[in-house]
Amino acid sequence: MKIIYADNNATTKVDKEVVDAMLPYFSDFYGNPSSMHTFGGRVARRINEARASVAEMINAEPEEIVFTSCGSESNNTAIMSAINSFPDKKHIITTRVEHPAVKSRVEHCTRNGYRGDFVPVDNLGRLDLDYLYDHLADDTAIISVMWANNETGVIFPIEEIVDHLKGKKIIFHTDAVQAPGKVIVDVKKVKVDMLSLSGHKLHAPKGVGALYVRKGTRFSPFLMGGHQEGGRRGGTENVASIIGFGKACELALKYGAKEGAKTAKLRDRLENSITGQIKNAVINGDRENRLPGTTNISFEYVEGESILLLMNEYGICASSGSACTSGSLEPSHVLRAMGAPYTLVHGSIRFSLGKYNTDEEVDYIVEVLPSIIERLRKMSPFWHDSQ
Ligand code: PLP
């Protein structure tokens, strides 16, 4: 059966050029980049080239990039670095719709002597900026607001927030894991202090990420160990993946804008066809301000998981709620924060398209989905009651 992969916010296919860049670093150039010999030194140089490519993608300087094992580690590092660097500051601000890697770290801090404020969103998933600004305190150590939401694709006004915070001595971190390759991320224009990236969301392998740390930002390492990454992150580097990540960033910088425009067109066609054909299908999130490939659609009176299972029979891969929380039947914290009613929260599906999706794949989803929803609604007493 052909697989129709519409789950690119969960992870992406590794680009062939990325694989080719990585392969020599498994069995030909396997030296440890920390070694004194030339064989290791060559690998160290290649890591620094990858660092330059990651930096270039976000218009940063290479020294401002710290490689990590994933976006989750980058997020945890940013928060822990801020609170360890400013031990007298006991307050953290984040949002109600962050990825669990930020949300659970902040919740953990609030159980251990910190105050946490979680900025609400409106019914379109847009941040309540007044709430954020009203809750700034003298002892706020860090504000962490994601660049774009992984479930709805809604993009947040990071530049506006950073401009508002100018002159205040508060670390500002953004989880930009879902953004690069889809929208422009430029840290010279948007002056965040720290920014998280993850390789596997932009066609590099899983298990590699980066944290951008603006020059001059106080930093305290999360993973202590050797002198790797200039003493900012201990542990022998995941060499091949870092090199793949560098290549993926080069490709994202070169082709991201063009691919994003194509993906947005596919997404819009998918969305319009679905809502045109299926009754009580509601788009979640601010349609004006979204990542190009993401659409989050609720089908009233059916369970998202049942839709996923039936789509799976046709080879269609999508997601209900965040991929990281699937496996638990907890309804999405993002949709709940948006005040979506029970019937919508439970019937939500996220389609996230990427550069490898085609018109034919969208046609196939649109052909198959209406009968799946109809089949499920026939079995739903709530649907019958509502009609
Ligand atoms: N932040 C966001 C917004 C994400 O979507 C994800 C992954 O789903 C992460 C962080 C975690 O990244 P990683 O899987 O590399 O730990």
Side-chain angles (χ1 to χ4, degrees):
M1 181 168 49
K2 185 172 176 334
I3 293 296
I4 310 290
Y5 189 74
D7 204 10
N8 286 274
N9 287 12
T11 197
T12 57
K13 174 175 168 171
V14 180
D15 197 297
K16 170 87 171 60
E17 283 190 58
V18 169
V19 176
D20 290 345
M22 292 172 66
L23 285 178
Y25 292 87
F26 288 106
S27 45
D28 293 340
F29 307 115
Y30 51 83
N32 188 323
S34 298
S35 296
M36 289 295 289
H37 42 70
T38 321
F39 189 58
R42 176 191 176 133
V43 177
R45 270 201 308 284
R46 194 62 191 84
I47 286 185
N48 282 334
E49 283 167 21
R51 193 185 308 285
S53 300
V54 175
E56 200 184 348
M57 181 182 70
I58 60 168
N59 201 15
E61 301 303 321
E63 323 76 80
E64 295 176 316
I65 301 297
V66 179
F67 285 116
T68 64
S69 67
C70 58
S72 299
E73 184 191 323
S74 301
N75 287 342
N76 276 273
T77 304
I79 294 165
M80 293 312 289
S81 170
I83 65 178
N84 288 330
S85 298
F86 298 94
D88 295 336
K89 297 191 170 190
K90 298 289 178 197
H91 180 233
I92 304 172
I93 300 180
T94 186
T95 80
R96 295 201 186 157
V97 295
E98 293 299 309
H99 185 272
V102 166
K103 186 172 167 281
S104 37
R105 170 54 68 183
V106 177
E107 284 166 354
H108 178 80
C109 291
T110 63
R111 290 190 294 275
N112 289 279
Y114 287 83
R115 301 178 335 278
D117 279 308
F118 296 80
V119 181
V121 294
D122 68 8
N123 63 340
L124 293 181
R126 295 173 303 195
L127 279 186
D128 181 345
L129 292 184
D130 290 334
Y131 181 102
L132 198 169
Y133 301 150
D134 288 347
H135 285 76
L136 299 175
D138 290 341
D139 68 342
T140 305
I142 180 165
I143 301 172
S144 182
V145 177
M146 68 203 318
W147 195 290
N149 186 269
N150 45 304
E151 291 191 33
T152 58
V154 172
I155 298 171
F156 289 140
I158 302 300
E159 187 170 7
E160 190 181 333
I161 301 172
V162 172
D163 286 349
H164 183 93
L165 295 174
K166 208 169 168 186
K168 299 194 169 48
K169 290 197 167 63
I170 303 174
I171 299 280
F172 185 87
H173 164 253
T174 184
D175 172 354
V177 160
Q178 291 291 348
K182 302 170 187 164
V183 290
I184 290 169
V185 176
D186 179 339
V187 294
K188 293 219 167 48
K189 181 161 180 273
V190 182
K191 296 189 183 312
V192 299
D193 298 306
M194 292 198 258
L195 178 146
S196 299
L197 298 170
S198 172
H200 73 105
K201 309 290 183 181
L202 74 161
H203 304 283
K206 297 159 189 64
V208 63
L211 181 66
Y212 158 80
V213 184
R214 181 176 294 279
K215 230 179 269 174
T217 305
R218 267 204 231 171
F219 185 80
S220 167
F222 182 56
L223 210 56
M224 296 187 191
H227 55 272
Q228 292 92 352
E229 298 298 302
R232 294 175 295 180
R233 199 265 185 187
T236 302
E237 298 87 340
N238 182 356
V239 173
S241 293
I242 287 174
I243 289 164
F245 189 15
K247 176 50 94 181
C249 291
E250 279 171 35
L251 297 173
L253 186 62
K254 208 161 160 194
Y255 304 115
K258 205 166 139 209
E259 286 159 359
K262 181 198 132 194
T263 312
K265 267 197 194 151
L266 281 182
R267 186 271 317 272
D268 291 347
R269 201 160 67 73
L270 176 70
E271 202 169 73
N272 292 334
S273 308
I274 289 176
T275 50
Q277 288 188 47
I278 302 176
K279 274 211 282 187
N280 297 57
V282 179
I283 314 273
N284 298 306
D286 180 9
R287 294 177 79 174
E288 300 303 311
N289 224 347
R290 270 184 313 173
L291 294 174
T294 309
T295 177
N296 188 311
I297 311 180
S298 286
F299 300 92
E300 266 191 301
Y301 306 109
V302 280
E303 286 288 334
E305 281 69 24
S306 316
I307 305 170
L308 282 188
L309 286 176
L310 292 188
M311 286 200 300
N312 189 49
E313 288 178 12
Y314 292 91
I316 301 170
C317 309
S319 152
S320 70
S322 148
C324 312
T325 53
S326 65
S328 87
L329 286 178
E330 277 289 296
S332 151
H333 71 285
V334 176
L335 296 188
R336 275 184 298 153
M338 288 161 63
Y342 181 88
T343 48
L344 291 182
V345 172
H346 282 271
S348 84
I349 294 290
R350 177 190 69 189
F351 294 98
S352 45
L353 305 176
K355 65 177 180 177
Y356 295 119
N357 289 114
T358 62
D359 274 311
E360 291 69 36
E361 290 179 338
V362 166
D363 291 342
Y364 183 69
I365 299 173
V366 172
E367 187 191 317
V368 162
L369 192 59
S371 60
I372 289 178
I373 302 295
E374 196 186 330
R375 205 167 130 194
L376 291 170
R377 280 183 176 161
K378 273 193 183 137
M379 294 188 280
S380 161
F382 302 110
W383 172 252
H384 290 294
D385 290 350
S386 77
Q387 295 304 294

